[in-house]
Amino acid sequence: MEKIEHLGIAVKNLAEAEKTYAAMLGVAPYKREAVETEGVITSFFKVGETKIELLEATSPESAIAKFIEKRGEGLHHIAYDVKDIRSEMKRLKEAGFIFTRDEPFRGADNKLVCFVHPKSVDGVLTELCQEIQ
Ligand code: ZN
């Protein structure tokens, strides 16, 4: 794993959360992007080499809506940058980690992503992401 690529934060209202984060970080979000397959709209801020990804649900079926219902707004996942997502998945599966899906899929911000189930990582949903070349 190369570095923490971003922190994902579940929010109820993206526009309000963008204002909060813009005020706190002193920069505007650099992009907004919907990931329709996941039922979310995202907004990204840069903080040095790391990013903050705000996530708002666009459907009550989305994982973000369910997360907020259960646990409220807040830190949703930690994402690690990897060079080769498939080999990292293989390594982690061999070490006993459970993934939410067997294959990586296209996430926001031009990334191939996958998620390690929070049960495997002491309660923290963990994303691996690889830049799509
Ligand atoms: Zn993420």
Side-chain angles (χ1 to χ4, degrees):
M1 307 221 184
E2 304 300 311
K3 63 174 183 182
I4 293 179
E5 212 280 335
H6 64 269
L7 302 176
I9 296 168
V11 303
K12 286 182 183 164
N13 182 320
L14 194 63
E16 287 302 317
E18 279 176 333
K19 282 186 209 159
T20 303
Y21 276 84
M24 187 175 70
L25 301 172
V27 290
Y30 69 91
K31 82 152 93 170
R32 249 195 197 199
E33 187 180 342
V35 184
E36 275 162 33
T37 51
E38 301 303 300
V40 296
I41 180 158
T42 64
S43 182
F44 284 89
F45 290 81
K46 280 205 171 91
V47 187
E49 278 198 22
T50 306
K51 299 163 187 165
I52 299 290
E53 174 186 37
L54 304 177
L55 303 120
E56 182 193 290
T58 54
S59 131
E61 302 310 311
S62 98
I64 294 301
K66 289 176 185 160
F67 177 88
I68 289 177
E69 203 177 284
K70 259 198 227 160
R71 297 169 68 167
E73 293 183 294
L75 187 62
H76 179 257
H77 63 269
I78 297 179
Y80 296 93
D81 186 32
V82 298
K83 282 200 176 117
D84 180 345
I85 197 166
R86 286 190 168 82
S87 76
E88 284 295 316
M89 284 179 86
K90 184 169 180 284
R91 180 179 72 81
L92 292 173
K93 279 180 186 171
E94 283 168 3
F97 290 90
I98 306 296
F99 284 80
T100 62
R101 296 192 209 174
D102 276 334
E103 287 294 317
F105 57 99
R106 202 183 173 104
D109 207 27
N110 198 40
K111 303 278 195 238
L112 208 51
V113 305
C114 64
F115 288 90
V116 187
H117 197 283
K119 269 192 262 178
S120 293
V121 202
D122 303 299
V124 178
L125 179 63
T126 299
E127 177 180 343
L128 308 183
C129 58
Q130 178 189 336
E131 185 88 13
I132 297 170
Q133 300 295 327

